[in-house]
C-alpha cells in the first residue's frame, strides 16, 4: 500500500518519543517531558490530552527544535517561535474552529500526521531569503502559526486562513506523503498532456474539456501540470468550488466527471467531506 513507508516512519517516531501510560488512559508522560492529563482543570491540557489518548496524535503548543528540525532522514530549515502562555487557549480555539472540527475521527486517527504544532510564528529558511509562513508541513508534522492578529479574524479572514490550513494538509501533507491512494483512472484522462509545453487551454472551459481545473498558458513557463500538480489543483478545486457549481461542471464535461468520481470516492473513504471543510458556510 502507498502509505506503508509513511506508516513505518510514523511508528518509529511514536515508539521513540512515547513514554508509558496507565491502564485507564488517564495520564501519560513522554520521555522528553510532556505530560498528558485528561482530568486536568486546564482546558488546553485537557483537550490536547484527550486528542492524544483518542487518536495517538500530539498537539504541541510549546514546540522546540526537537519537534520540527529533523524530519527523520531530512532536516527542516525552520525556526518556530512558541506561543506565549496567555495566548495558548485562544490560539488552540482558532485551530479547533478552522481545522480540527472539520475532520472525522477516522481521518484524524488514520491520516493525520503524528504531530500538530501550534505556534506564534514560523520562519522558513529553505529558500534564498527567510520568509514568514502561516502553515508548514513535513513527513511527521503540520504546523500552524497563530499570532495575535489571528485571534480576532473577520468572517472573510476566517475563510481565507481556513482554506490555507486545509490546503496545507490535503494538497501538501497528504499528497507529499502519498496518503491519497488515487486510482490510475483519475490520471489516464489527462495522462498524455502532463508537463506538455505545446498546449494552451486559455479558458476554464477549454481546460475542463481535457480534465484540468486551471487554465494553461503553455510554453516553458506555464506548461500543463504534472501528475502531482494536477492532483493538487483538483484538491484545491474541490475545496473552493461550491457543490452546486461542481455538479453543473461535471454534467457538462465528461473528463471532469470521470476524474471527479474517481477522486471523490477516495476522499470519502478517508472520511473527508469537502463540503464541511473550509470555513465558508458563514460567509454572506
Amino acid at each position: 500500500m502507498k502509505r506503508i513507508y509513511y506508516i513505518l516512519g510514523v511508528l518509529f517516531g511514536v515508539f521513540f518519543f512515547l513514554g508509558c501510560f496507565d491502564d485507564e488512559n488517564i495520564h501519560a508522560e513522554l520521555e522528553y517531558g510532556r505530560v498528558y492529563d485528561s482530568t486536568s482543570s486546564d482546558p488546553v491540557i485537557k483537550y490536547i490530552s484527550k486528542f492524544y489518548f483518542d487518536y495517538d496524535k500530539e498537539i504541541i503548543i510549546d514546540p522546540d527544535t526537537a519537534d520540527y528540525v529533523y524530519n527523520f532522514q531530512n532536516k527542516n530549515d525552520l525556526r518556530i517561535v512558541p506561543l506565549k502562555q496567555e495566548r495558548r487557549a485562544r490560539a488552540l480555539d482558532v485551530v479547533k474552529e478552522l481545522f480540527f472540527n472539520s475532520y472525522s475521527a477516522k481521518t484524524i486517527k488514520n491520516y493525520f500526521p503524528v504531530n500538530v504544532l501550534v505556534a506564534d510564528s514560523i520562519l522558513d529558511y529553505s529558500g534564498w531569503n527567510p520568509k514568514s509562513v502561516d502553515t508548514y508541513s513535513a513527513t511527521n508534522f503540520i504546523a500552524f502559526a497563530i499570532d495575535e492578529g489571528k485571534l480576532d479574524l473577520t468572517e472573510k479572514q476566517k475563510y481565507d486562513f481556513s482554506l490555507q490550513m486545509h490546503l496545507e494538509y490535503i494538497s501538501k501533507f497528504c499528497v507529499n506523503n502519498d496518503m491519497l491512494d488515487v486510482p490510475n483512472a483519475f490520471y489516464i484522462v489527462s495522462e498524455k498532456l502532463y508537463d506538455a509545453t505545446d498546449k494552451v487551454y486559455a479558458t476554464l472551459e477549454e481546460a475542463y474539456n481535457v480534465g484540468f481545473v486551471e487554465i494553461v498558458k503553455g510554453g516553458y513557463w506555464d506548461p500543463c501540470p504534472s501528475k502531482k500538480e494536477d492532483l493538487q489543483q483538483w484538491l484545491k478545486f474541490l475545496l473552493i468550488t461550491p457543490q452546486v457549481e461542481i455538479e453543473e461542471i461535471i454534467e457538462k464535461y465528461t473528463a471532469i466527471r470521470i476524474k471527479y468520481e474517481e477522486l471523490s470516492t477516495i476522499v470519502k473513504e478517508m472520511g473527508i467531506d469537502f463540503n464541511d471543510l473550509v470555513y465558508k458556510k458563514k460567509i454572506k
Side-chain angles (χ1 to χ4, degrees):
M1 195 171 181
K2 283 186 175 181
R3 306 198 315 274
I4 185 67
Y5 294 112
Y6 171 79
I7 293 172
L8 289 174
V10 166
L11 289 174
F12 173 80
V14 171
F15 288 129
F16 180 79
F17 287 114
L18 189 60
C20 59
F21 54 90
D22 63 31
D23 293 337
E24 294 181 353
N25 267 3
I26 294 297
H27 183 276
E29 183 170 355
L30 302 186
E31 290 184 359
Y32 61 106
R34 291 194 175 97
V35 176
Y36 294 102
D37 181 4
S38 62
T39 64
S40 174
S41 59
D42 184 319
V44 173
I45 294 176
K46 187 171 184 177
Y47 182 84
I48 63 177
S49 297
K50 187 175 187 305
F51 198 89
Y52 173 73
F53 292 131
D54 286 349
Y55 309 122
D56 273 343
K57 312 293 182 182
E58 291 187 83
I59 299 172
I60 299 176
I61 57 174
D62 57 343
D64 58 32
T65 54
D67 298 308
Y68 62 83
V69 170
Y70 290 100
N71 189 31
F72 295 104
Q73 294 182 346
N74 300 314
K75 184 177 180 181
N76 298 310
D77 203 359
L78 294 175
R79 179 174 180 266
I80 296 182
V81 178
L83 288 162
K84 292 182 179 179
Q85 179 73 35
E86 62 269 21
R87 285 201 282 112
R88 290 177 179 177
R90 293 186 64 195
L92 184 58
D93 285 342
V94 171
V95 179
K96 286 159 62 177
E97 180 183 21
L98 303 185
F99 187 73
F100 287 141
N101 292 349
S102 299
Y103 293 98
S104 66
K106 175 182 179 180
T107 304
I108 296 173
K109 191 171 184 64
N110 297 313
Y111 300 99
F112 262 34
V114 173
N115 299 327
V116 180
L117 280 55
V118 183
D120 179 83
S121 61
I122 305 169
L123 281 175
D124 182 359
Y125 288 88
S126 61
W128 287 103
N129 296 306
K131 61 180 180 179
S132 177
V133 297
D134 290 329
T135 63
Y136 189 93
S137 59
T139 303
N140 61 330
F141 72 86
I142 188 169
F144 301 123
I146 312 295
D147 57 25
E148 191 167 358
K150 292 192 180 67
L151 300 180
D152 295 295
L153 299 174
T154 66
E155 294 294 292
K156 179 61 168 60
Q157 289 171 331
K158 285 183 178 181
Y159 168 83
D160 291 339
F161 187 43
S162 175
L163 174 61
Q164 186 177 354
M165 296 167 88
H166 291 295
L167 282 174
E168 184 70 49
Y169 169 63
I170 294 176
S171 71
K172 291 186 180 179
F173 174 79
C174 287
V175 172
N176 291 338
N177 291 293
D178 291 325
M179 304 299 286
L180 292 156
D181 195 10
V182 181
N184 195 45
F186 172 86
Y187 297 111
I188 286 177
V189 175
S190 312
E191 186 174 32
K192 295 182 179 179
L193 300 174
Y194 288 139
D195 297 309
T197 58
D198 60 342
K199 303 294 183 182
V200 176
Y201 303 105
T203 66
L204 282 177
E205 289 73 18
E206 292 176 355
Y208 291 157
N209 274 320
V210 296
F212 293 148
V213 290
E214 295 187 14
I215 62 173
V216 176
K217 296 179 181 179
Y220 177 80
W221 296 109
D222 192 4
C224 291
S226 64
K227 288 179 66 174
K228 178 180 177 179
E229 291 168 340
D230 185 30
L231 177 58
Q232 291 177 318
Q233 289 174 3
W234 259 90
L235 292 168
K236 181 179 180 180
F237 169 75
L238 293 178
L239 275 170
I240 67 176
T241 310
Q243 187 61 32
V244 173
E245 186 177 335
I246 291 176
E247 295 294 338
E248 293 174 353
I249 295 171
I250 64 177
E251 183 177 350
K252 187 175 181 180
Y253 300 95
T254 302
I256 294 294
R257 176 180 56 78
I258 294 172
K259 295 177 79 169
Y260 172 79
E261 290 174 351
E262 296 293 338
L263 188 56
S264 61
T265 298
I266 294 303
V267 296
K268 286 178 181 177
E269 289 176 355
M270 294 172 65
I272 295 175
D273 184 349
F274 279 97
N275 293 317
D276 292 334
L277 294 189
V278 182
Y279 188 93
K280 57 189 174 184
K281 292 186 177 180
K282 297 180 183 179
I283 297 291
K284 296 182 179 179

